[in-house]
Amino acid sequence: MASKLLPLRRLSRLLKPPSSVSSSTFRSSLYLLEASKSLHISENSHGPRYWIDSRSFCSSPLNLNDAEVPAAIDYRSVLQEDEFHKLADTTIHDLQEKFEEYGDSVQVDGFDIDYGNEVLTLKLGDLGTYVLNKQTPNRQLWLSSPMSGPFRFDWDRNAQAWVYRRTKAHLLKLLESEMEELCGEPISLS
């Protein structure tokens, strides 16, 4: 046992973060330190040999229920690029029209809609700004919300809607809910 402690002390000294080391580097070092618990030592004519079981680097199961993990991607259902553009452009242009109509019915200082370079920007003055854009390589629509942060929506063929895989939230329903909460007037986007 004492022969294992010396290499562990040496390893822990090596893993102490200097003040210039980032916290992510230090966290990586802590993983190594944890892995060193399964350090093996053998003696031969050339001195001690050290090795670590590769199992100690494997992730342990998280035991998350289905609501806490993203839905699996069925790559057979990934959209072809032309189909993605058609669906994404239709969605963005429909939203632009509905936001323009909504802007005429609500009294929000600084309400402005802009569409350019495949990015739809909805400014709500002091209430915040929504940004919706296409991510063609991922076949996703990305939304930045002033209320709930960033989202990456995938097209769900079964639901015929843009769905955030982590929470199963639908793009249009999320926008309807947040816009009503922010502006005080209901909006129908579907």
Side-chain angles (χ1 to χ4, degrees):
M1 183 64 175
S3 62
K4 275 192 175 185
L5 291 178
L6 183 60
L8 285 176
R9 275 194 223 121
R10 286 182 186 151
L11 183 60
S12 67
R13 270 190 237 124
L14 289 173
L15 297 177
K16 276 192 181 172
S19 57
S20 63
V21 173
S22 72
S23 64
S24 63
T25 303
F26 181 64
R27 268 186 262 121
S28 298
S29 300
L30 289 178
Y31 291 126
L32 284 174
L33 185 59
E34 180 66 26
S36 69
K37 290 179 182 174
S38 20
L39 182 67
H40 297 280
I41 303 170
S42 70
E43 294 284 334
N44 64 20
S45 60
H46 300 290
R49 262 184 54 217
Y50 307 104
W51 77 91
I52 298 174
D53 280 343
S54 61
R55 286 175 173 248
S56 60
F57 287 101
C58 294
S59 299
S60 59
L62 295 176
N63 296 326
L64 298 175
N65 64 35
D66 287 341
E68 296 171 327
V69 296
I73 297 174
D74 179 3
Y75 287 99
R76 294 170 298 175
S77 68
V78 172
L79 300 172
Q80 294 299 315
E81 188 170 340
D82 59 335
E83 185 182 11
F84 164 75
H85 283 295
K86 182 181 174 187
L87 288 166
D89 289 339
T90 300
T91 300
I92 290 172
H93 291 295
D94 287 351
L95 283 172
Q96 181 181 5
E97 287 178 16
K98 290 180 181 179
F99 286 150
E100 286 171 352
E101 291 172 14
Y102 186 69
D104 295 337
S105 69
V106 294
Q107 298 301 317
V108 175
D109 290 335
F111 190 98
D112 187 40
I113 300 153
D114 182 47
Y115 179 73
N117 297 324
E118 300 184 339
V119 177
L120 178 64
T121 305
L122 173 62
K123 297 178 183 173
L124 301 174
D126 293 339
L127 300 175
T129 300
Y130 284 89
V131 179
L132 181 69
N133 65 304
K134 297 190 318 185
Q135 291 295 320
T136 303
N138 303 20
R139 308 295 196 266
Q140 293 176 327
L141 287 181
W142 287 9
L143 174 71
S144 174
S145 161
M147 283 187 69
S148 53
F151 292 89
R152 296 176 179 188
F153 292 92
D154 296 285
W155 181 254
D156 184 318
R157 290 183 195 271
N158 295 332
Q160 291 294 296
W162 293 98
V163 177
Y164 183 50
R165 292 185 313 114
R166 290 184 183 209
T167 63
K168 315 294 189 280
H170 289 227
L171 171 65
L172 301 181
K173 290 177 184 174
L174 175 77
L175 287 170
E176 287 174 344
S177 167
E178 289 189 8
M179 295 291 291
E180 182 174 354
E181 189 173 336
L182 282 171
C183 300
E185 293 286 329
I187 181 173
S188 176
L189 298 174
S190 43

